[in-house]
Amino acid sequence: MSSDRDVLLSMGFEAARVDWALKATGGRGLQPSMDFILENEGKPVPDLSSVSSSGASGAAPSGGAVPMNEDDQEELDALAAVYGKGGAEGSSAAAEQEAKSIRCSECGKIFKNTALANFHAEKSGHDQFEESTEEVKPLTEEEKRQKLAELREKMAAKRSVKAKEEARENLANEAIRRKAGKDINELREEIQAKEMVREAEKKRKEKLDDAKARAAVKAQIEADKRARAEKAAREKALREGKPVPGSSAPAPAAAAAPSAPKPAGKDYPETRLQIRLASGGQPYTTTLPSEATLREVAEFVAGQTLSVDVETVSFSLTFPRKTFARSDFSKTLKELGLTPSAVLIAS
């Protein structure tokens, strides 16, 4: 064990750390002691009285040193051949050969420890490193200030590049946002235009329906006025014993023969109509001049309900059964034989 300690000391390891390694490994050989020192590099050396020897069970009862095996002896011989056998000369040779830094074989940079070398490998992608006896000298205050200034300049340059990239990205995003907003506005305007067209069409139809309704009401009012005037004229003529307007027969003769057949339709100035819808519902009644055409009847019905269209409606009689053609719409009620009254079916 004393030989192992001398070799480890000649390699530049601290005496306290060497004693800690030898006691912790229980004198199992040079290689375990070196492995222990490398694994615990950077850790403080504890009190050796509290460190238990892992090889105590295999130690001799007298407390003597554990004899080295053949492998340990071979390692010791190899190290002795390289470093020499103790003494100041061996210690100085080991010190000269001690690795004090790590060099990158690709770029030649020197790093103080493994952590810095690993950091360099991650950043640069270099993977070829070797041990170097060149010692990394600590930086002076001036070098520290210069290094700090360089780092600050690099950080400022990176921030500037990043700011420019962010500005370009913001401009691109703004252009995309404006284009999207423009497309949405165009779509909204198109929808509004279509809505305005539909609204205008709806208002036009409402105005047309109102005009038809007003025309039908006006025609009904005029027909009622004429009917009342003619009725009043007939009643006055009967009271005064004068001939009834529109009739060639004297009033007494007409009164004396109530059972006589009705005069021909052409002798009646007006016609009373009852129009029933084929779809059902309340019938419509009106009085129109006998000279009115069947189309005027269609206009009257269209003014009463939106379900009837002047251009598509058709009329028919139940008794005698008859359906009027479109060519009959230009004929008068008198010509169609609907005077003095008739019941029409509108469909």
Side-chain angles (χ1 to χ4, degrees), residues 190-318:
E190 183 179 355
I191 294 174
Q192 290 177 354
K194 291 181 179 179
E195 193 68 26
M196 291 175 62
V197 170
R198 285 195 294 268
E199 192 67 23
E201 182 66 20
K202 181 179 178 181
K203 289 182 179 180
R204 188 188 67 80
K205 186 176 181 180
E206 290 176 354
K207 288 183 179 180
L208 183 61
D209 294 340
D210 292 343
K212 289 182 180 180
R214 287 196 296 270
V217 171
K218 186 177 180 180
Q220 183 65 35
I221 292 173
E222 294 296 330
D224 291 344
K225 285 182 180 179
R226 289 195 297 268
R228 288 196 296 271
E230 293 173 356
K231 184 178 180 181
R234 285 198 302 271
E235 292 176 353
K236 182 179 180 181
L238 289 174
R239 286 196 302 269
E240 294 177 354
K242 295 180 180 180
V244 179
S247 177
S248 58
S259 60
K262 293 182 179 180
K266 62 182 180 181
D267 296 331
Y268 288 89
E270 59 185 15
T271 301
R272 182 172 181 79
L273 298 175
Q274 185 182 77
I275 300 98
R276 297 180 178 178
L277 299 178
S279 59
Q282 187 71 21
Y284 301 99
T285 58
T286 184
T287 302
L288 296 176
S290 299
E291 297 299 327
T293 62
L294 189 60
R295 182 177 180 83
E296 294 182 33
V297 178
E299 292 176 353
F300 166 75
V301 179
Q304 302 301 316
T305 175
L306 295 176
S307 61
V308 175
D309 191 353
V310 177
E311 303 300 330
T312 59
V313 68
S314 62
F315 295 101
S316 61
L317 293 173
T318 55

Side-chain angles (χ1 to χ4, degrees), residues 4 28-32 34 67-79:
D4 294 345
R28 288 197 300 270
L30 181 62
Q31 187 62 38
M34 291 181 63
M68 292 186 295
N69 54 28
E70 295 181 359
D71 294 336
D72 293 339
Q73 186 62 43
E74 290 179 359
E75 293 178 0
L76 180 60
D77 294 340
L79 290 172

Side-chain angles (χ1 to χ4, degrees), residues 77-97:
D77 294 340
L79 290 172
V82 175
Y83 297 106
K85 296 182 180 180
E89 183 180 355
S91 299
S92 60
E96 291 177 359
Q97 298 297 327

